[in-house]
Amino acid sequence: MRIAFFVNSIDSETASYTTTALALAALSRGHEICYVTPADFILRPDDKLMIRARSLNGTKPKKPETFISALKADDAKMSVVDISEIDVLFLRNDPSEDAEGRPWAANVGANFGRLASERGAIVVNDPSGLSLAQNKLYFQDFPRAVRPTTLISKNIEEIRAFIDDHRDGVILKPLQGSGGRNVFKIKSSEEANLNQIFEAVSEIGYLIAQSYLPEATAGDIRLFLMNGRPLVRDDVYAAFRRVPAKGEVRSNIHASGTAQAATITPAILAIAEKLRPKLIDDGMFLVGLDIVGDKILEINVFTPGGLQSIRALHAIDFAEEIVIALENKVAIREAYGGALSNRALATL
């Protein structure tokens, strides 16, 4: 099997990324892997879709650090490959990373991913589904029961009124964004810096105001879903609790949050089950849910991360399960001779 990982850039990849864990798992199972970035697609006059693929120069490292060094090395192999020779195109880019500095790159994965699926590659998550999820408006399509009370607006007076209605406070963040950037907790509409926060965030676009969940002081739980269901091995779920640093509202690991073991309760599994129908309908193969109490804060469909943290906590490499699932999809595609849509294959 040949897997191409689509990422924002080679330079930004690190040993701690979940994409690295997935690539290493694929190598360990005897598959070929390569990396593709937004500038690496070529649609030729004969309608062939090609990719400029970066792969390792004959090495098969087993350690993440060695792998990343080999991937970034000057002697890494570059080749132009017909997308029909790729079994799986795994879209692992974060569009928000490119939204400001390289807006042309933000939607490349979804756009060219659609063309790739039409030419025989299995593309996950499904590019048409990802096109619906370019910002956090996608979150509003899920059942109200699992979402915090939310306002989306660029009007400061609407936001002030929303804050006044929520005595526990409000979280303000941009509609387009990820990784915990520009996330603020507002306790009162009378806060002196509210205008400055509004101006800074509204320059990026629309704002989301969400009711603050007091349980968030203990952090949130990141739970992985695969093919619409919680990813689990031997009664251990692919999940961990992200605990924010003291005085920090964000629990993101790169924002000084720490990873701890999480208890997955029947209530949490019930939340995941409520999301399953739409995730499957949208072809969302691998998803990360951020859960606080009985609510979902985020549904991460582009680059859900944390497999390395889970491996450190439980000594389980869930990347292997994910690669095995991809193997099964390729086998199903071959058995059905192209009769199944990419969206169907993505969550089978």
Side-chain angles (χ1 to χ4, degrees):
M1 187 169 69
R2 200 171 190 182
I3 305 175
F5 293 96
F6 177 71
V7 298
N8 292 79
S9 73
I10 300 299
D11 289 343
S12 64
E13 292 299 295
T14 72
S16 64
Y17 276 6
T18 288
T19 306
T20 304
L22 293 167
L24 285 171
L27 285 174
S28 72
R29 291 186 62 80
H31 303 304
E32 295 181 45
I33 65 101
C34 62
Y35 275 59
V36 186
T37 67
D40 290 334
F41 290 96
I42 306 163
L43 185 59
R44 289 184 170 166
D46 60 1
D47 223 26
K48 286 186 177 180
L49 181 62
M50 316 296 288
I51 55 172
R52 295 182 69 254
R54 174 182 285 260
S55 55
L56 306 185
N57 192 12
T59 62
K60 288 190 176 181
K62 295 183 178 180
K63 294 183 178 180
E65 294 79 10
T66 310
F67 173 83
I68 289 296
S69 294
L71 182 68
K72 296 182 179 182
D74 292 337
D75 65 348
K77 182 181 178 182
M78 293 296 299
S79 55
V80 178
V81 179
D82 192 315
I83 198 67
S84 65
E85 299 176 19
I86 299 295
D87 293 295
V88 177
L89 175 61
F90 207 148
L91 302 179
R92 292 285 304 171
N93 70 309
D94 181 352
S96 68
E97 292 282 347
D98 288 319
E100 292 183 55
R102 298 193 307 170
W104 63 267
N107 298 326
V108 163
N111 291 338
F112 281 96
R114 179 179 57 82
L115 298 182
S117 69
E118 292 171 356
R119 288 157 177 78
I122 297 174
V123 184
V124 290
N125 291 339
D126 181 73
S128 296
L130 289 179
S131 294
L132 304 173
Q134 295 293 335
N135 59 49
K136 293 181 176 65
L137 276 175
Y138 181 66
F139 187 51
Q140 302 303 114
D141 291 336
F142 289 86
R144 185 186 298 269
V146 301
R147 295 186 274 117
T149 307
T150 301
L151 169 75
I152 298 174
S153 177
K154 275 179 68 70
N155 183 283
I156 185 63
E157 296 308 320
E158 289 279 347
I159 290 171
R160 286 187 188 278
F162 184 83
I163 295 170
D164 287 337
D165 287 339
H166 294 84
R167 293 186 178 182
D168 287 326
V170 164
I171 296 295
L172 279 184
K173 55 188 176 182
L175 182 65
Q176 179 77 47
S178 68
R181 290 181 296 275
N182 296 308
V183 176
F184 303 91
K185 181 184 177 185
I186 308 297
K187 295 181 180 179
S188 165
S189 64
E190 303 302 319
E191 285 192 18
N193 63 345
L194 177 57
N195 284 339
Q196 289 87 342
I197 291 173
F198 172 80
E199 290 173 6
V201 180
S202 63
E203 282 187 0
I204 303 171
Y206 273 81
L207 289 80
I208 293 182
Q210 286 182 332
S211 56
Y212 177 71
L213 304 175
E215 302 99 316
T217 55
D220 60 27
I221 290 176
R222 165 67 57 86
L223 172 65
F224 278 88
L225 306 185
M226 186 177 74
N227 294 328
R229 299 185 184 278
L231 182 54
V232 60
R233 183 201 292 181
D234 298 331
D235 296 325
V236 176
Y237 287 91
F240 63 105
R241 181 176 291 278
R242 305 188 304 173
V243 181
K246 185 176 181 180
E248 176 63 72
V249 67
R250 302 169 299 170
S251 56
N252 305 75
I253 299 300
H254 73 261
S256 300
T258 56
Q260 296 181 7
T263 299
I264 302 303
T265 64
I268 290 174
L269 296 178
I271 293 172
E273 181 62 19
K274 285 185 174 70
L275 305 183
R276 183 171 65 85
K278 180 168 176 57
L279 292 176
I280 288 179
D281 191 53
D282 290 344
M284 298 302 185
F285 165 61
L286 188 66
V287 176
L289 305 182
D290 296 341
I291 304 169
V292 170
D294 61 353
K295 303 293 183 184
I296 300 286
L297 294 186
E298 299 275 358
I299 300 176
N300 304 277
V301 298
F302 284 98
T303 55
L307 289 187
Q308 308 280 43
S309 296
I310 296 169
R311 184 174 184 173
L313 289 167
H314 299 292
I316 294 177
D317 183 8
F318 281 102
E320 185 177 11
E321 266 85 353
I322 295 168
V323 173
I324 291 171
L326 296 177
E327 295 169 0
N328 292 337
K329 294 178 194 303
V330 171
I332 292 170
R333 180 195 62 185
E334 293 175 354
Y336 276 82
L340 299 177
S341 70
N342 187 81
R343 187 172 291 201
L345 282 168
T347 51
L348 282 176

